[in-house]
Amino acid sequence: MALGSNPGHPVPLGFVFRSRAKEEKAPVADKAQVTVSKQPRDPQAPKGRPTPKRSEAQSQRRSVANTSMTRKEAAKRAREERRAALERQRQALAGGDERYLPARDKGPVRRFARDFIDARFNIAEFFLPMAVVILVLSMVRVAALQNIALLLWLVVIVLIVLDSFVTGFRLKKRLAERFPDENKRGAVAYALMRSLQMRRLRLPKPQVKRGERP
């Protein structure tokens, strides 16, 4: 039997002739894999990408913060939006655009109530000029004129109350006929308050002429 020979367990040739360079590179590769696997990954970093350094992450956060709106800019934008909304509302009050009217003026019921008041003469709308006349008469130091002023006050108040009662009754009846399924709560009071204003000072502006049936 030859020296070093083992017929039962032959020694592979690759083990004998394996390059020493591969043996030296193997531990280095294993260490590199262990180092990479032990490196913690940022939960926000995409898969397959290395974790960003702390300086890079801070710079990214600063850039995001700089692009976001500051409190001063947000307040300025809110003021501009509020000013634009008020301007649209003012134009709607002048032109009757339902889209931008205040909530108390919106809806077909409120529009009908406005048209009902604007289409007729209301004693209450002349209250302001009559009040000025009565006030001037009461300031004159003449007993007869002061008595007339007092009597006029009583007459004006009684006429306004009676006219408002008749107007409210008629309007309530018309609303029940025209809008049987709509919410009519507060519509009569809304119309009577409008009747106290002079026609040219009413907002929204009248959309019907006097005597025109709404």
Side-chain angles (χ1 to χ4, degrees):
M1 182 181 293
L3 181 63
S5 62
N6 189 356
H9 301 280
V11 178
L13 297 178
F15 176 79
V16 177
F17 298 102
R18 186 171 56 178
S19 175
R20 293 184 60 187
K22 292 183 179 181
E23 294 179 357
E24 293 176 356
K25 290 180 181 179
V28 177
D30 294 340
K31 287 184 180 181
Q33 292 177 359
V34 172
T35 305
V36 172
S37 62
K38 288 183 178 180
Q39 184 179 2
R41 188 179 69 85
D42 187 4
Q44 297 180 355
K47 293 182 179 181
R49 296 183 182 179
T51 303
K53 296 181 180 179
R54 181 177 298 178
S55 59
E56 295 177 356
Q58 291 177 353
S59 63
Q60 292 176 0
R61 285 195 293 269
R62 289 196 203 98
S63 63
V64 173
N66 291 332
T67 56
S68 62
M69 188 181 301
T70 63
R71 183 179 300 178
K72 185 176 181 181
E73 293 174 348
K76 182 179 179 181
R77 176 172 293 184
R79 287 195 302 269
E80 292 176 352
E81 292 177 353
R82 186 165 54 251
R83 190 180 300 112
L86 290 175
E87 178 62 22
R88 288 195 300 267
Q89 190 177 101
R90 185 188 65 80
Q91 294 178 359
L93 290 173
D97 192 347
E98 288 280 344
R99 295 176 299 173
Y100 304 114
L101 286 176
R104 65 181 180 86
D105 299 315
K106 283 186 177 181
V109 175
R110 297 300 174 97
R111 183 181 181 87
F112 181 85
R114 291 195 303 270
D115 293 344
F116 185 86
I117 294 297
D118 296 337
R120 64 191 302 273
F121 284 94
N122 305 278
I123 298 177
E125 67 181 288
F126 302 105
F127 172 76
L128 185 59
M130 288 188 297
V132 173
V133 173
I134 294 172
L135 182 62
V136 171
L137 291 176
S138 63
M139 294 177 63
V140 178
R141 296 183 179 275
V142 178
L145 292 178
Q146 291 180 350
N147 292 333
I148 292 173
L150 181 60
L151 182 61
L152 285 175
W153 269 121
L154 295 176
V155 171
V156 168
I157 291 175
V158 171
L159 289 177
I160 290 176
V161 171
L162 291 176
D163 184 63
S164 299
F165 178 80
V166 173
T167 301
F169 179 78
R170 291 179 177 175
L171 176 60
K172 187 175 182 179
K173 184 178 179 181
R174 292 289 304 278
L175 288 174
E177 295 173 355
R178 182 70 67 89
F179 307 100
D181 300 327
E182 296 286 340
N183 183 14
K184 298 175 285 293
R185 184 177 180 181
V188 175
Y190 169 79
L192 294 179
M193 290 298 297
R194 185 176 178 84
S195 68
L196 291 172
Q197 303 170 350
M198 299 180 66
R199 181 181 172 86
R200 67 179 60 184
L201 300 179
R202 292 172 184 171
L203 290 176
K205 293 291 185 181
Q207 303 296 315
V208 296
K209 298 179 180 180
R210 290 191 188 273
E212 183 178 350
R213 187 180 178 87

